[in-house]
Amino acid sequence: MAENEIAIEVRDVTKSFKVYLDKGSQLKERLLFFKRNKYEERKVLRGISFTVKKGEAIGLIGRNGCGKSTTLKLLTRIMYPDSGKITMNGRVSSLIELGAGFHPDMSGRENIYTNASIFGLTKKEIDARLQDIIDFSELEQFIDNPVRTYSSGMYMRLAFSVAINVDADILLIDEILAVGDANFQAKCFAKLKEIKAQGTTIVIVSHSLGQIEQICDRSIWIYDGLIRAEGDPKEVDLEYLDFMSREMQKSMNTGNSTGACETERHGNGNARIESVSSFNSDGGEQTVFRTGETIVFRIGYSVREKVEDAVFGLGVFNSKGISCYGTNTRIDRFDVYDIAKDGTTEIVLENVPLLPDVYTLDFTIECGDGIPVDYCRHIYKIEILSSVGDVGVARIKHSFLLDDNIEKKEKK
Amino acid sequence: MSTIKELYAYRQMIFSLVKKDLRGRYKGSVLGFMWTFINPLFQLIVYTIVFNHILPNNNVNKYYLYLFVALIPWIFFSSSITIGAASIVAQKDLIKKIYFPRMVIPISYVTSCFVNMLLCFIVIFAVIFVTGAGMNFLALLTLPVIMIVEYIFALGMSLLTSAITVYFRDLEHILSIVAMAWMYLTPVVYSKDIVPDKYLPLFNLNPMTHIIDCYRTVLYDKQVPDLSSLLLAAGLGVFFLIFGTLVFNRLQKHFAEEL
């Protein structure tokens, strides 16, 4: 197997669907309502080309309806392109629809044979893989029970085990790593890496950019039926996230899912917070940020009566209502100050380590020993995105120091 | 050529679909697999009563056998085209979700009908044996050839009908009428000899005329069938298989979208 042999070649592929406005497939309907057989052509792919080398793993990213799943369906040959050419070299297996042809009344073992045969395996080949499949599914003791007695998790595990053990040259995956419990998912992921190390070409469609970055050598970003960017997953994914946050920004101006929002406020009203806006470190206005980015809030306020010994503060809450951070100028040991005139205050949060979520913010003006002047709860919302899959509230800077006794596997 | 190679690679799928179909067909019914035999047996009884006892001047010797050896192959053919037509539509979940050579489905359907026919032949031989009609072993050697010719023709027709039905669902119902008419236009319940001369060329164009005739020659007349008639049927069968394959391959590209 030469290093630079091509596994998949896609050339100028276009695909459109007919969206029937009112379709009749019966003779009567066809004849009677001849005029009704109108349809709209919806172009899903407008000419995409890419090649995948043998042993390479690529990720297709893009938002819903951009054509990435259609691309995958074309690669599996469930559908055919309207124009252009797709060449696939080698046996293709897909983790798109797991458990195709499973018969509920047949045993797990029989279903392995049926399901694997749909992938084009002969009886001999299935016999050789049977034990691997059963072992991987961890269903040894249930394997001779009818599949209808399985839980949905068991069902998926069996289906995944068959599909992943086909030993395909090209593996196509659509959002599958959501199979079973966390343990099994980790196992699937490890198996995927193993398969990749064996030289299998992999194409993944996923919303989890983290998974793509871990497995793929290359990301292809499809936007509106065209390839918008392609290259190192880390770079393309960032570009994609950036773009998405800008898009979200646009929809926010109308949809209002982040930014200014319903506020509860109380206080004596001597001063009032009039406006809140957020910026990135370059001064560009935005409300969607990435983990680790610097966020600048600009608070505009008006003063009705001089506020002596004023205190500005903020509070950050995640979508579960957990207080993630809160502080004010008193906590920060500012010298005592008064506010007498309208003005603006900027709060700079540097390298915010918060993990992806929608965050609600409180901004406050108080005076003296915490007497509220204008205490605005939930006055603003921001969203944080990230391509890393870590979990929790905030990213703690960390490193793993492995023992010297651990043998590192050579990357093939 | 690549189609054949691919189908060969998917032989296990064809095998398991045939098995599933045969096992699943009568699942849940009390008599189960016996229905495979009961159904043609009762058809035989009805036709025998009508054509032998009610309609006069039918002086065919052992009419039940005369009919039976033609009826069983006919049932194979007619179910291949009528129910076979719906086979792709019936498997739409599979087709929309996963790739495999689409021809696998009509092939396994026709094959399972074929296996059914083979099982019914056990009954035919039992009847021949019990009634002491006897058989000609030399002629019997040609029986597999006739069966293969019929299989090829049935498969060609089934590829054609199953693919078209995806786009035009009425075909399924139209075909049940066509199948009935076709049966009476094929010498199944009567002899080819009584067909008026002016219609004969038309009858000869019908591959089933030759196929049924061959079955009857071997099993009823106990003679080796006329080679030219068998060759003609084979030629027509192959023509329809190739034509069916071409049409099927052309139409199958949009199955996933139409279903």
Side-chain angles (χ1 to χ4, degrees), chain A residues 178-238:
Chain A
V179 179
D181 55 22
N183 266 336
F184 193 73
Q185 276 187 33
K187 195 171 162 182
C188 295
F189 208 66
K191 177 79 183 176
L192 222 51
K193 283 187 168 169
E194 189 190 315
I195 284 175
K196 194 198 158 201
Q198 285 163 5
T200 307
T201 311
I202 300 177
V203 179
I204 302 181
V205 164
S206 179
H207 284 111
S208 165
L209 298 179
Q211 285 178 349
I212 286 186
E213 282 173 21
Q214 279 187 62
I215 287 197
C216 300
D217 309 307
R218 191 151 56 101
S219 270
I220 295 177
W221 170 17
I222 298 174
Y223 177 74
D224 213 10
L226 289 167
I227 292 179
R228 179 137 177 162
E230 136 170 45
D232 186 313
K234 292 212 168 69
E235 285 162 27
V236 176
D237 290 1
L238 277 187

Side-chain angles (χ1 to χ4, degrees), chain A residues 15-18 20 23 25-28 30 73 76-82 91-92 94 96-97 100-103 105-106 110 113-115 117-126, chain B residues 6 8-17 19-20 23-24 27 91 93-102 165-170 173-174 249 252-259:
Chain A
K15 179 79 194 168
S16 44
F17 290 113
K18 290 172 186 169
Y20 284 92
K23 193 198 174 190
S25 57
Q26 289 182 357
L27 179 63
K28 183 190 80 183
R30 287 241 164 132
K73 278 188 179 161
T76 55
R77 288 175 295 172
I78 292 173
M79 294 189 294
Y80 293 78
D82 294 339
R91 173 187 270 163
V92 180
S94 63
I96 294 179
E97 201 54 50
F102 267 25
H103 195 295
D105 286 333
M106 296 216 254
E110 286 172 302
Y113 278 93
T114 316
N115 192 223
S117 74
I118 295 174
F119 285 112
L121 260 58
T122 60
K123 184 158 189 308
K124 226 195 227 164
E125 288 171 308
I126 303 171
Chain B
E6 203 180 13
Y8 182 71
Y10 276 81
R11 61 193 180 278
Q12 179 63 27
M13 183 179 179
I14 297 176
F15 178 75
S16 65
L17 281 180
K19 204 170 109 185
K20 204 163 117 179
R23 272 180 55 174
K27 207 173 174 93
Q91 296 287 354
D93 287 332
L94 221 48
I95 285 171
K96 270 157 75 174
K97 287 170 183 169
I98 194 164
Y99 173 80
F100 54 86
R102 303 318 191 195
T165 304
V166 172
Y167 297 87
F168 179 56
R169 304 284 165 93
D170 288 50
H173 307 290
I174 294 171
N249 271 339
Q252 60 109 357
K253 297 199 168 180
H254 293 285
F255 278 178
E257 289 144 75
E258 285 291 330
L259 285 168

